[in-house]
Amino acid sequence: MPRPSTVRPLLMLLLACPAAASAQAQGVWPPDSLTNTQVIPRDTPVSQVIGIMRNFAFDLGVRCQFCHVGREGQPLSEFDFASDDKPTKRTARQMMRMVEEVRRRLDTLPVHAMPHVEVTCRTCHRGVERPVPLSTILIGAATAGGPDSGVRMYQALRDRYYGRVAYDFGESSLNIAAFRLARDNRFEAALAYLDLNERLYPGSSGMYVFRGNVLLMRGDTTAAAAAYREAVRRDTANGEAKGRLRDIGQGP
């Protein structure tokens, strides 16, 4: 069990709400003491635990019922915090143990290599419950529902999270998703993402390299060459596009 002095940084990794600390009984909030604690030391002050759980919820963009038995709008005094029924709560305990190991390993690195590093929930989650790259979400959306579904997913996430650290809405996310979809022969979805990127980042030379690569994978050498030439037109220093043109016998 971790020392009390290490509890706060330990508990701020990867999952939300009171996942390892639970009220002693329903009907009382805040609780007088803790029960069913498996990671947090039993003698940790309740007020400190509540603060830790608020950090969990904020860092994942979730609420208490994400891990605990209770409903939105229900008084916290009626939540069954002691229950282990929800898989997210059981997972949280594993995540807290994992961060203890991560912190232990960080402490073995040379000081100059990783100065002042603290692992918290926000390190990975950044305000969302599933800490996965935007490109991965877009690949899944297009694979499951087709190009239109993927584009709608991107626009919905952009509308909700743009300007926050949750997802990278830079040009590369759509390019990466398009390339990986093309590798799975999902060319319609790949080109739809590149069309969207063109609207978001008009004038991009790099996006046209990706377009050429996708078209080349589809077997359309003529269209691929045109895309690479457009990339060079937009940026005469684009050596990758020039190299691709040479590789397919279309360059100088």
Side-chain angles (χ1 to χ4, degrees), residues 22 29-34 42-52:
S22 303
W29 185 263
D32 298 325
S33 61
L34 307 175
R42 182 70 61 85
D43 59 354
T44 305
V46 171
S47 60
Q48 181 180 350
V49 173
I50 292 173
I52 291 167

Side-chain angles (χ1 to χ4, degrees), residues 126-157:
R126 301 181 180 182
V128 293
E129 64 185 66
R130 294 184 62 236
V132 297
L134 178 58
S135 58
T136 300
I137 295 175
L138 296 177
I139 291 167
T143 299
D148 291 343
S149 177
V151 169
R152 286 194 300 271
M153 173 66 76
Y154 179 89
Q155 292 171 332
L157 291 174

Side-chain angles (χ1 to χ4, degrees), residues 10 17 40 45 52 63 74 87 96 107 109 112 132 139 145 156 161 171 181 187 192 195 238-239:
L10 167 64
C17 251
I40 299 176
I52 291 167
R63 296 177 66 82
Q74 184 180 17
M96 288 188 282
D107 288 342
L109 296 175
H112 70 274
V132 297
I139 291 167
Y161 292 106
E171 181 184 341
L181 285 165
F187 300 111
D195 288 342
N238 192 324

Side-chain angles (χ1 to χ4, degrees), residues 115-131:
H116 310 299
V117 172
E118 181 178 71
V119 175
T120 72
C121 295
R122 204 161 184 80
T123 302
C124 295
H125 281 271
R126 301 181 180 182
V128 293
E129 64 185 66
R130 294 184 62 236

Side-chain angles (χ1 to χ4, degrees), residues 22-99:
S22 303
Q24 186 174 25
Q26 290 176 261
V28 178
W29 185 263
D32 298 325
S33 61
L34 307 175
T35 189
N36 193 22
T37 59
Q38 299 180 26
V39 180
I40 299 176
R42 182 70 61 85
D43 59 354
T44 305
V46 171
S47 60
Q48 181 180 350
V49 173
I50 292 173
I52 291 167
M53 299 309 149
R54 285 173 178 160
N55 285 333
F56 282 169
F58 175 76
D59 288 348
L60 274 77
V62 297
R63 296 177 66 82
C64 295
Q65 62 270 19
F66 184 72
C67 282
H68 294 287
V69 176
R71 301 185 307 276
E72 179 67 31
Q74 184 180 17
L76 292 178
S77 59
E78 297 179 10
F79 273 58
D80 186 358
F81 288 116
S83 171
D84 288 340
D85 286 351
K86 286 201 170 182
T88 45
K89 180 181 178 182
R90 300 195 297 273
T91 300
R93 290 192 178 112
Q94 294 299 100
M95 293 295 180
M96 288 188 282
R97 294 181 179 112
M98 183 182 75
V99 74

Side-chain angles (χ1 to χ4, degrees), residues 190-214:
L191 292 171
Y193 281 165
L194 293 176
D195 288 342
L196 176 58
N197 231 8
E198 171 73 1
R199 296 194 296 272
L200 294 169
Y201 297 95
S204 167
S205 174
M207 185 276 298
Y208 264 86
V209 174
F210 275 88
R211 184 180 292 277
N213 293 342
V214 168

